[in-house]
Amino acid sequence: MDGLMQPRPLTIAHILERAERLYAHKQIVSGEERVTYAEVAGQVRRLATALDALDVPAGARVATFATNTRRHLELYLAVPVTKRVLHSLNIRLSAEHLEYIVNHAQDDVVFVDRALLPRIWPSAPNMPSVRHWVVLPDDSGETIPDDPRVLLYDDLVAASDPFPGSFEDTFTLADENLASGLCYTSGTTGPPKGVLYSHRSTVLHCLGTLAAGFIGLCESDVVMPIVPMFHANAWGLPYGAMMTGAALVLPGPSNEPEHLLSLMESERVTVAGAVPTVWTSLAPGLRSRDLSATRFLLGGGSAIAPALSETYRATVGVPITHSWGMTEISPVGTIGGTRTQHDTLPEDEQVAVRAAQGQPLPLVNLRIADVETGAELPRDGKAIGELQVAGPWVAGGYFLVDAADRFTEDGWLRTGDLATIDAHGYVRLVDRMKDLIKSGGEWISSVELESAIASHTDVVEVAVVARPDPRWVERPVAYVVLRDGSATTGEDLLRHITPLVAKWWLPDEVFFRAALPKTGTGKLSKSALRESA
């Protein structure tokens, strides 16, 4: 017997119209602008008819090459609610990767920040599917090409009549499964692969960001996604903020510590999300700012050293909360932090709990499996296996790519992460399978070595990679960035970690660098370091 509930579809149109009706007065800070949700909704309604005027077909990929601004937010809404597909392009990719991704996606239109034109316009001749280039305004002064395909965003929107009806009413039951967004993986193990989100998956992920006890976004929050909007829906924070009516702070193109800290202080930001390299860069300026409004700091993309998280807990009052996810998981899968069962633990054990990646969000299922046999392993906090994930916002395939090896026979996504899961469902990542170091037949976790080295007070950043060794097959080497003026030596660091790790784990060499290479999403690039090891 079926239930008798109304078959209303789950769509991004509901997020837009809920914000428009219930939270019209709430503010979005974007650069020097302060606009309301009502004003953004009005722009979205004009942009919707502008896309029609450009003859952009339903289902067409509409690319963005943009930073965290309110116009990018307008595209986050207008493209999917008109049944097109928002394809956010990573602004830090090489020309070769950009051309591959745009051509593979067959993008029809590209919306680009004026300041970013020099990065992508030289590739325009190699992107034949793109019919229109729409320039988003900024104060960069970059030359706008004299080309009939190039249009100005503000002129295009101003010349368009607003869409008159309800976007939500244009969807039917089947339409909740329409594609809403497209984001490509980093391509570290082959060509980038497209992850195609649906309206249904995006709305359910959005509700996951509202779940109490995890991120728990609510109407009284002021949310600042430092994580870029060009990657994996900015961890769902913009959609989640609009769904619940929270104010939004969009920091624009600058990740300069003073700029970000100033915004967090002046706008009384309560929730912010960023990768560990950004949180590391902000740490020296924390004591000079009033960040007392902060209630939740979200970190992800790579492991967060406990020492860094505890620095924030000591100065801001809240730690950096671990999360784990992937582009394929929309992207949030787990959220860390302590729960009531940890309240009576000694402080050092609570620090260890906060260093874990945490419990899965509601509707996300996790398991670990033996790498060789595929057999499910026990949830005892000790067994180590490949982390596998299933859920309504987890990819079941890739866009126009056959990647059956990434999925199990029963449809679970194979993440490539090695982890433990304890009796409470807490995930603790051991390493990426490709980053484990096999020395003399035994495994060394680069993540645990990095955490040990990062606990030294003079260490700003660290990455540990494998170097080929004629006797042991592989040996660990460490690349370290020290605080300005530090006289710490490699021998000092080895002495510091000797009590913390097995003796045979000690790196063979420690290399000091002014900076470590980063991927397009701001994570440490271990592949670049392996090439120089």
Side-chain angles (χ1 to χ4, degrees):
M1 178 184 295
D2 290 339
L4 296 175
M5 296 295 101
Q6 295 180 9
R8 298 286 292 180
L10 306 178
T11 71
I12 294 170
H14 177 76
I15 298 175
L16 168 65
E17 293 186 355
R18 177 180 172 84
E20 184 179 31
R21 291 168 180 158
L22 304 185
Y23 308 115
H25 62 289
K26 297 303 285 285
Q27 285 197 339
I28 300 168
V29 175
S30 175
E32 299 300 317
E33 293 183 301
R34 289 184 183 274
V35 296
T36 63
Y37 280 152
E39 290 170 310
V40 164
Q43 290 284 97
V44 169
R45 291 186 172 279
R46 291 181 179 277
L47 181 53
T49 59
L51 292 170
D52 290 339
L54 294 177
D55 293 324
V56 181
R61 273 69 69 199
V62 176
T64 59
F65 197 67
T67 56
N68 294 19
T69 66
R70 63 98 171 162
R71 290 177 178 86
H72 202 173
L73 181 67
E74 290 163 9
L75 287 157
Y76 257 50
L77 298 162
V79 174
V81 303
T82 57
K83 301 186 181 181
R84 285 118 179 165
V85 181
L86 180 81
H87 177 200
S88 52
L89 293 168
N90 188 329
I91 67 174
R92 302 186 184 121
L93 290 181
S94 66
E96 178 185 7
H97 270 157
L98 275 176
E99 291 169 15
Y100 171 83
I101 289 172
V102 169
N103 290 331
H104 187 267
Q106 290 292 286
D107 290 326
D108 187 60
V109 185
V110 175
F111 287 79
V112 53
D113 283 351
R114 183 171 180 172
L116 297 176
L117 276 168
R119 297 192 193 179
I120 196 170
W121 183 249
S123 293
N126 300 323
M127 299 173 174
S129 68
V130 180
R131 297 184 302 115
H132 303 288
W133 295 81
V134 183
V135 180
L136 308 176
D138 54 44
D139 58 3
S140 66
E142 291 292 342
T143 301
I144 297 175
D146 184 12
D147 187 296
R149 296 172 298 170
V150 177
L151 306 168
L152 301 181
Y153 180 89
D154 282 356
D155 291 350
L156 179 70
V157 172
S160 302
D161 293 327
F163 182 85
S166 166
F167 291 110
E168 197 168 4
D169 287 346
T170 67
F171 283 86
T172 64
L173 176 61
D175 285 337
E176 70 174 18
N177 293 308
L178 285 177
S180 64
L182 179 63
C183 185
Y184 279 71
T185 63
S186 57
T188 55
T189 56
K193 294 184 285 292
V195 179
L196 194 61
Y197 308 123
S198 69
H199 280 264
R200 179 177 183 270
S201 73
T202 302
V203 170
L204 289 172
H205 182 273
C206 176
L207 291 173
T209 67
L210 274 55
F214 292 89
I215 302 175
L217 297 182
C218 63
E219 185 272 338
S220 60
D221 276 323
V222 179
V223 180
M224 187 164 94
I226 303 172
V227 58
M229 291 174 70
F230 62 68
H231 182 66
N233 295 330
W235 298 353
L237 295 175
Y239 287 136
M242 294 199 76
M243 174 73 92
T244 196
L248 261 174
V249 178
L250 301 175
S254 174
N255 266 357
E256 289 300 316
E258 282 303 303
H259 170 65
L260 297 177
L261 288 170
S262 177
L263 279 174
M264 291 179 70
E265 181 179 43
S266 63
E267 300 304 325
R268 307 292 290 166
V269 168
T270 63
V271 176
V275 296
T277 52
V278 171
W279 291 129
T280 298
S281 73
L282 299 188
L286 294 177
R287 294 190 182 279
S288 63
R289 297 288 184 174
D290 176 9
L291 303 182
S292 57
T294 306
R295 71 162 185 86
F296 195 88
L297 298 175
L298 184 63
S302 56
I304 298 162
L308 177 63
S309 179
E310 292 304 304
T311 294
Y312 274 80
R313 192 166 74 93
T315 54
V316 180
V318 295
I320 302 172
T321 298
H322 254 103
S323 69
W324 168 83
M326 306 168 67
T327 305
E328 291 91 335
I329 311 177
S330 300
V332 182
T334 71
I335 297 292
T338 57
R339 307 290 187 258
T340 54
Q341 68 265 26
H342 305 123
D343 289 347
T344 58
L345 292 179
E347 180 56 30
D348 61 334
E349 293 185 32
Q350 292 199 33
V351 170
V353 171
R354 288 193 289 269
Q357 279 65 42
Q359 292 177 313
L361 267 64
L363 306 182
V364 174
N365 294 315
L366 297 172
R367 69 187 184 190
I368 52 173
D370 185 279
V371 174
E372 295 182 358
T373 68
E376 186 170 355
L377 297 175
R379 298 165 179 256
D380 58 7
K382 298 176 182 178
I384 297 173
E386 182 184 28
L387 188 61
Q388 299 177 353
V389 59
W393 59 74
V394 178
Y398 292 95
F399 182 56
L400 302 178
V401 170
D402 181 10
D405 61 321
R406 291 297 307 276
F407 300 89
T408 64
E409 290 185 1
D410 55 350
W412 289 56
L413 174 70
R414 300 182 58 200
T415 68
D417 285 323
L418 289 175
T420 66
I421 301 179
D422 71 12
H424 296 291
Y426 265 69
V427 173
R428 185 181 300 276
L429 291 187
V430 174
D431 215 337
R432 291 287 293 168
M433 290 172 65
K434 64 185 179 182
D435 291 336
L436 275 175
I437 302 164
K438 194 162 193 178
S439 182
E442 300 290 340
W443 291 110
I444 297 173
S445 167
S446 68
V447 170
E448 289 190 35
L449 257 182
E450 288 161 357
S451 291
I453 296 170
S455 67
H456 192 286
T457 56
D458 283 355
V459 173
V460 175
E461 284 187 312
V462 57
V464 173
V465 299
R467 182 171 67 184
D469 186 271
R471 180 181 180 186
W472 303 108
V473 182
E474 292 180 334
R475 288 296 300 156
V477 294
Y479 291 85
V480 175
V481 177
L482 296 175
R483 300 191 186 281
D484 290 343
S486 171
T488 296
T489 66
E491 290 74 18
D492 293 334
L493 292 179
L494 293 178
R495 280 194 296 272
H496 174 73
I497 67 172
T498 295
L500 306 177
V501 300
K503 186 175 180 180
W504 59 276
W505 279 34
L506 296 177
D508 280 7
E509 287 192 77
V510 177
F511 300 100
F512 294 103
R513 296 285 187 269
L516 298 183
K518 307 293 193 301
T519 68
T521 53
K523 296 186 287 187
L524 293 173
S525 176
K526 289 194 173 183
S527 59
L529 291 173
R530 276 191 286 266
E531 292 175 3
S532 61

